[in-house]
Amino acid sequence: DAKTTQPNSMESNEEEPVHLPCNHSTISGTDYIHWYRQLPSQGPEYVIHGLTSNVNNRMASLAIAEDRKSSTLILHRATLRDAAVYYCIRSVGADGLTFGKGTHLIIQP
Amino acid sequence: DVKVTQSSRYLVKRTGEKVFLECVQDMDHENMFWYRQDPGLGLRLIYFSYDVKMKEKGDIPEGYSVSREKKERFSLILESASTNQTSMYLCASLGDGFNQPQHFGDGTRLSIL
């Protein structure tokens, strides 16, 4: 049970921002939100993670709702290379990760 | 950057064979994991290890064993391969520190005939 809910697929145009939503309404106070993505024929790749406040790195931004029941991964300017399956995951400690089905992001040129 | 290397990208074996999948990481991480990924089922945790010679069962350990003789290497063993073990196998490592990200290899696509 991934305990997160994401849309099955989303479509965006190249060079436009993309907002990928995730609901995690049963999240506990110590759960971090992690985002990974998986390109075809590759292993999952870490994108970003956070606990309470918004986070930015070279790949993306993560906006976490004040009540922590949802979050949004933001790709500021999508490229064709961003086409992948994006997974939103609750993570605590050193246990294995539980991946749901993720969001299949399609980028149109 | 962390590098997790899986020994084979593609592997074809026969039913009943003993199969070894190897994984090496270069960042001195304590924690290592083996997952399998199947269409419609997502990633499922098979085994993990938080130290040399230590191992813990994941969600689907049946039919598998693991070996962690050195910190950098974590091996997955299919004792007697069966066709339902045809899958994509993914290895990951995780360093110390609360809630650090896992780093994955590119996977081994294993076919059991």
Side-chain angles (χ1 to χ4, degrees):
Chain A
D1 178 10
K3 301 180 181 176
T4 61
T5 305
Q6 299 177 252
N8 288 333
S9 66
M10 288 184 65
E11 199 166 312
S12 182
N13 294 320
E14 198 176 8
E15 298 187 3
E16 289 186 358
V18 180
H19 291 234
L20 296 166
C22 179
N23 287 318
H24 28 81
S25 57
T26 61
I27 195 168
S28 70
T30 54
D31 286 354
Y32 276 68
I33 303 301
H34 286 238
W35 282 82
Y36 289 77
R37 71 180 185 181
Q38 189 170 18
L39 280 66
S41 302
Q42 294 187 21
E45 174 188 28
Y46 164 76
V47 178
I48 200 166
H49 75 291
L51 183 63
T52 54
S53 56
N54 295 345
V55 184
N56 300 292
N57 66 19
R58 62 178 178 83
M59 290 181 71
S61 296
L62 176 60
I64 301 173
E66 200 168 330
D67 63 5
R68 299 205 337 116
K69 293 184 184 301
S70 66
S71 60
T72 302
L73 178 71
I74 302 164
L75 306 179
H76 294 286
R77 197 161 166 264
T79 69
L80 295 177
R81 292 168 59 183
D82 291 321
V85 180
Y86 286 78
Y87 298 97
C88 165
I89 298 158
R90 292 163 48 174
S91 175
V92 179
D95 293 338
L97 299 174
T98 300
F99 282 60
K101 295 184 179 179
T103 297
H104 185 199
L105 177 63
I106 300 164
I107 304 296
Q108 297 288 357
Chain B
D1 278 352
V2 176
K3 184 76 173 170
V4 178
T5 304
Q6 295 184 230
S7 52
S8 306
R9 289 298 303 271
Y10 302 93
L11 205 53
V12 180
K13 296 291 183 181
R14 295 202 174 277
T15 304
E17 280 192 72
K18 190 169 185 176
V19 181
F20 293 85
L21 302 183
E22 306 288 346
C23 176
V24 176
Q25 50 95 2
D26 67 356
M27 283 301 292
D28 203 36
H29 284 172
E30 283 75 18
N31 307 287
M32 296 187 74
F33 305 81
W34 275 106
Y35 298 86
R36 61 178 284 177
Q37 184 174 30
D38 301 287
L41 296 177
L43 263 72
R44 292 180 290 167
L45 180 65
I46 305 171
Y47 267 98
F48 63 104
S49 168
Y50 53 86
D51 203 351
V52 175
K53 297 194 186 295
M54 306 301 287
K55 61 183 179 183
E56 295 287 340
K57 292 182 180 178
D59 299 320
I60 50 163
E62 296 78 19
Y64 302 94
S65 62
V66 290
S67 172
R68 184 108 183 262
E69 295 298 317
K70 293 185 177 181
K71 195 175 187 180
E72 67 270 19
R73 185 180 298 270
F74 192 32
S75 303
L76 180 69
I77 303 156
L78 286 66
E79 297 289 344
S80 178
S82 63
T83 55
N84 63 13
Q85 291 178 310
T86 291
S87 186
M88 168 71 89
Y89 289 88
L90 290 157
C91 174
S93 74
L94 171 69
D96 262 355
F98 197 69
N99 268 284
Q100 292 302 304
Q102 289 193 16
H103 298 270
F104 286 82
D106 280 336
T108 295
R109 188 166 293 281
L110 175 65
S111 296
I112 306 297
L113 304 179

